[in-house]
PDB file of all heavy atoms in Angstrom:
ATOM      1  N   LEU W  76       7.229  -8.587  17.739  1.00 95.00           N
ATOM      2  CA  LEU W  76       6.512  -7.351  17.443  1.00 95.00           C
ATOM      3  C   LEU W  76       7.200  -6.136  18.046  1.00 95.00           C
ATOM      4  O   LEU W  76       7.492  -6.082  19.235  1.00 95.00           O
ATOM      5  CB  LEU W  76       5.079  -7.418  17.972  1.00 95.00           C
ATOM      6  CG  LEU W  76       4.246  -6.140  17.856  1.00 95.00           C
ATOM      7  CD1 LEU W  76       4.030  -5.764  16.396  1.00 95.00           C
ATOM      8  CD2 LEU W  76       2.907  -6.315  18.570  1.00 95.00           C
ATOM      9  N   SER W  77       7.446  -5.166  17.197  1.00 96.00           N
ATOM     10  CA  SER W  77       7.919  -3.856  17.635  1.00 96.00           C
ATOM     11  C   SER W  77       7.001  -2.816  17.020  1.00 96.00           C
ATOM     12  O   SER W  77       6.565  -2.965  15.878  1.00 96.00           O
ATOM     13  CB  SER W  77       9.363  -3.619  17.182  1.00 96.00           C
ATOM     14  OG  SER W  77       9.790  -2.309  17.499  1.00 96.00           O
ATOM     15  N   THR W  78       6.698  -1.779  17.783  1.00 97.00           N
ATOM     16  CA  THR W  78       5.851  -0.714  17.243  1.00 97.00           C
ATOM     17  C   THR W  78       6.548   0.624  17.387  1.00 97.00           C
ATOM     18  O   THR W  78       7.286   0.873  18.340  1.00 97.00           O
ATOM     19  CB  THR W  78       4.496  -0.652  17.961  1.00 97.00           C
ATOM     20  OG1 THR W  78       4.710  -0.386  19.353  1.00 97.00           O
ATOM     21  CG2 THR W  78       3.725  -1.949  17.807  1.00 97.00           C
ATOM     22  N   LEU W  79       6.305   1.471  16.399  1.00 97.00           N
ATOM     23  CA  LEU W  79       6.785   2.842  16.399  1.00 97.00           C
ATOM     24  C   LEU W  79       5.567   3.752  16.358  1.00 97.00           C
ATOM     25  O   LEU W  79       4.752   3.631  15.441  1.00 97.00           O
ATOM     26  CB  LEU W  79       7.686   3.105  15.192  1.00 97.00           C
ATOM     27  CG  LEU W  79       8.048   4.569  14.893  1.00 97.00           C
ATOM     28  CD1 LEU W  79       8.943   5.132  15.979  1.00 97.00           C
ATOM     29  CD2 LEU W  79       8.724   4.691  13.529  1.00 97.00           C
ATOM     30  N   THR W  80       5.432   4.618  17.339  1.00 98.00           N
ATOM     31  CA  THR W  80       4.327   5.571  17.356  1.00 98.00           C
ATOM     32  C   THR W  80       4.890   6.973  17.166  1.00 98.00           C
ATOM     33  O   THR W  80       5.728   7.421  17.955  1.00 98.00           O
ATOM     34  CB  THR W  80       3.546   5.495  18.676  1.00 98.00           C
ATOM     35  OG1 THR W  80       3.035   4.179  18.842  1.00 98.00           O
ATOM     36  CG2 THR W  80       2.389   6.484  18.665  1.00 98.00           C
ATOM     37  N   VAL W  81       4.433   7.614  16.111  1.00 98.00           N
ATOM     38  CA  VAL W  81       4.805   9.005  15.864  1.00 98.00           C
ATOM     39  C   VAL W  81       3.755   9.854  16.560  1.00 98.00           C
ATOM     40  O   VAL W  81       2.579   9.857  16.164  1.00 98.00           O
ATOM     41  CB  VAL W  81       4.852   9.323  14.365  1.00 98.00           C
ATOM     42  CG1 VAL W  81       5.311  10.761  14.133  1.00 98.00           C
ATOM     43  CG2 VAL W  81       5.776   8.341  13.642  1.00 98.00           C
ATOM     44  N   THR W  82       4.141  10.540  17.589  1.00 97.00           N
ATOM     45  CA  THR W  82       3.188  11.312  18.375  1.00 97.00           C
ATOM     46  C   THR W  82       3.149  12.766  17.917  1.00 97.00           C
ATOM     47  O   THR W  82       4.157  13.310  17.443  1.00 97.00           O
ATOM     48  CB  THR W  82       3.550  11.264  19.867  1.00 97.00           C
ATOM     49  OG1 THR W  82       4.832  11.884  20.053  1.00 97.00           O
ATOM     50  CG2 THR W  82       3.607   9.843  20.379  1.00 97.00           C
ATOM     51  N   SER W  83       1.970  13.359  18.032  1.00 97.00           N
ATOM     52  CA  SER W  83       1.790  14.764  17.652  1.00 97.00           C
ATOM     53  C   SER W  83       2.481  15.041  16.317  1.00 97.00           C
ATOM     54  O   SER W  83       3.387  15.887  16.216  1.00 97.00           O
ATOM     55  CB  SER W  83       2.338  15.680  18.747  1.00 97.00           C
ATOM     56  OG  SER W  83       2.036  17.033  18.478  1.00 97.00           O
ATOM     57  N   ALA W  84       2.059  14.317  15.324  1.00 97.00           N
ATOM     58  CA  ALA W  84       2.730  14.382  14.024  1.00 97.00           C
ATOM     59  C   ALA W  84       2.634  15.761  13.393  1.00 97.00           C
ATOM     60  O   ALA W  84       1.620  16.476  13.530  1.00 97.00           O
ATOM     61  CB  ALA W  84       2.126  13.339  13.095  1.00 97.00           C
ATOM     62  N   HIS W  85       3.694  16.140  12.707  1.00 96.00           N
ATOM     63  CA  HIS W  85       3.750  17.398  11.973  1.00 96.00           C
ATOM     64  C   HIS W  85       4.112  17.090  10.522  1.00 96.00           C
ATOM     65  O   HIS W  85       4.673  16.030  10.232  1.00 96.00           O
ATOM     66  CB  HIS W  85       4.778  18.331  12.598  1.00 96.00           C
ATOM     67  CG  HIS W  85       4.378  18.864  13.939  1.00 96.00           C
ATOM     68  ND1 HIS W  85       3.448  19.883  14.079  1.00 96.00           N
ATOM     69  CD2 HIS W  85       4.747  18.516  15.186  1.00 96.00           C
ATOM     70  CE1 HIS W  85       3.288  20.137  15.369  1.00 96.00           C
ATOM     71  NE2 HIS W  85       4.058  19.314  16.062  1.00 96.00           N
ATOM     72  N   PRO W  86       3.830  18.004   9.620  1.00 96.00           N
ATOM     73  CA  PRO W  86       4.160  17.754   8.210  1.00 96.00           C
ATOM     74  C   PRO W  86       5.614  17.359   7.976  1.00 96.00           C
ATOM     75  O   PRO W  86       5.903  16.555   7.090  1.00 96.00           O
ATOM     76  CB  PRO W  86       3.829  19.090   7.543  1.00 96.00           C
ATOM     77  CG  PRO W  86       2.704  19.623   8.359  1.00 96.00           C
ATOM     78  CD  PRO W  86       3.045  19.243   9.788  1.00 96.00           C
ATOM     79  N   GLU W  87       6.530  17.884   8.789  1.00 95.00           N
ATOM     80  CA  GLU W  87       7.945  17.537   8.598  1.00 95.00           C
ATOM     81  C   GLU W  87       8.252  16.096   8.994  1.00 95.00           C
ATOM     82  O   GLU W  87       9.355  15.583   8.722  1.00 95.00           O
ATOM     83  CB  GLU W  87       8.858  18.492   9.368  1.00 95.00           C
ATOM     84  CG  GLU W  87       8.571  18.595  10.846  1.00 95.00           C
ATOM     85  CD  GLU W  87       7.675  19.776  11.181  1.00 95.00           C
ATOM     86  OE1 GLU W  87       6.815  20.132  10.345  1.00 95.00           O
ATOM     87  OE2 GLU W  87       7.846  20.328  12.290  1.00 95.00           O
ATOM     88  N   ASP W  88       7.291  15.422   9.639  1.00 96.00           N
ATOM     89  CA  ASP W  88       7.465  14.007   9.972  1.00 96.00           C
ATOM     90  C   ASP W  88       7.112  13.114   8.787  1.00 96.00           C
ATOM     91  O   ASP W  88       7.321  11.894   8.840  1.00 96.00           O
ATOM     92  CB  ASP W  88       6.603  13.619  11.174  1.00 96.00           C
ATOM     93  CG  ASP W  88       6.978  14.378  12.434  1.00 96.00           C
ATOM     94  OD1 ASP W  88       8.187  14.666  12.609  1.00 96.00           O
ATOM     95  OD2 ASP W  88       6.073  14.707  13.219  1.00 96.00           O
ATOM     96  N   SER W  89       6.566  13.716   7.750  1.00 97.00           N
ATOM     97  CA  SER W  89       6.215  12.939   6.563  1.00 97.00           C
ATOM     98  C   SER W  89       7.475  12.306   5.989  1.00 97.00           C
ATOM     99  O   SER W  89       8.460  12.997   5.704  1.00 97.00           O
ATOM    100  CB  SER W  89       5.560  13.845   5.507  1.00 97.00           C
ATOM    101  OG  SER W  89       4.361  14.399   6.002  1.00 97.00           O
ATOM    102  N   SER W  90       7.442  11.009   5.837  1.00 96.00           N
ATOM    103  CA  SER W  90       8.637  10.290   5.395  1.00 96.00           C
ATOM    104  C   SER W  90       8.281   8.831   5.174  1.00 96.00           C
ATOM    105  O   SER W  90       7.129   8.424   5.333  1.00 96.00           O
ATOM    106  CB  SER W  90       9.738  10.407   6.458  1.00 96.00           C
ATOM    107  OG  SER W  90      10.969   9.888   5.984  1.00 96.00           O
ATOM    108  N   PHE W  91       9.277   8.074   4.796  1.00 97.00           N
ATOM    109  CA  PHE W  91       9.153   6.618   4.635  1.00 97.00           C
ATOM    110  C   PHE W  91       9.832   5.989   5.838  1.00 97.00           C
ATOM    111  O   PHE W  91      11.027   6.183   6.060  1.00 97.00           O
ATOM    112  CB  PHE W  91       9.821   6.209   3.324  1.00 97.00           C
ATOM    113  CG  PHE W  91       9.610   4.782   2.909  1.00 97.00           C
ATOM    114  CD1 PHE W  91       8.334   4.297   2.671  1.00 97.00           C
ATOM    115  CD2 PHE W  91      10.688   3.922   2.725  1.00 97.00           C
ATOM    116  CE1 PHE W  91       8.135   2.978   2.265  1.00 97.00           C
ATOM    117  CE2 PHE W  91      10.496   2.606   2.314  1.00 97.00           C
ATOM    118  CZ  PHE W  91       9.215   2.133   2.084  1.00 97.00           C
ATOM    119  N   TYR W  92       9.053   5.260   6.635  1.00 98.00           N
ATOM    120  CA  TYR W  92       9.595   4.617   7.827  1.00 98.00           C
ATOM    121  C   TYR W  92       9.684   3.134   7.560  1.00 98.00           C
ATOM    122  O   TYR W  92       8.741   2.509   7.057  1.00 98.00           O
ATOM    123  CB  TYR W  92       8.701   4.893   9.037  1.00 98.00           C
ATOM    124  CG  TYR W  92       8.688   6.352   9.438  1.00 98.00           C
ATOM    125  CD1 TYR W  92       7.800   7.244   8.842  1.00 98.00           C
ATOM    126  CD2 TYR W  92       9.556   6.833  10.402  1.00 98.00           C
ATOM    127  CE1 TYR W  92       7.794   8.582   9.193  1.00 98.00           C
ATOM    128  CE2 TYR W  92       9.561   8.172  10.761  1.00 98.00           C
ATOM    129  CZ  TYR W  92       8.679   9.036  10.157  1.00 98.00           C
ATOM    130  OH  TYR W  92       8.685  10.365  10.509  1.00 98.00           O
TER     131      TYR W  92
END
Side-chain angles (χ1 to χ4, degrees):
Chain W
L76 174 64
S77 175
T78 61
L79 168 68
T80 301
V81 183
T82 63
S83 187
H85 290 283
E87 55 264 32
D88 298 326
S89 298
S90 188
F91 189 61
Y92 294 86

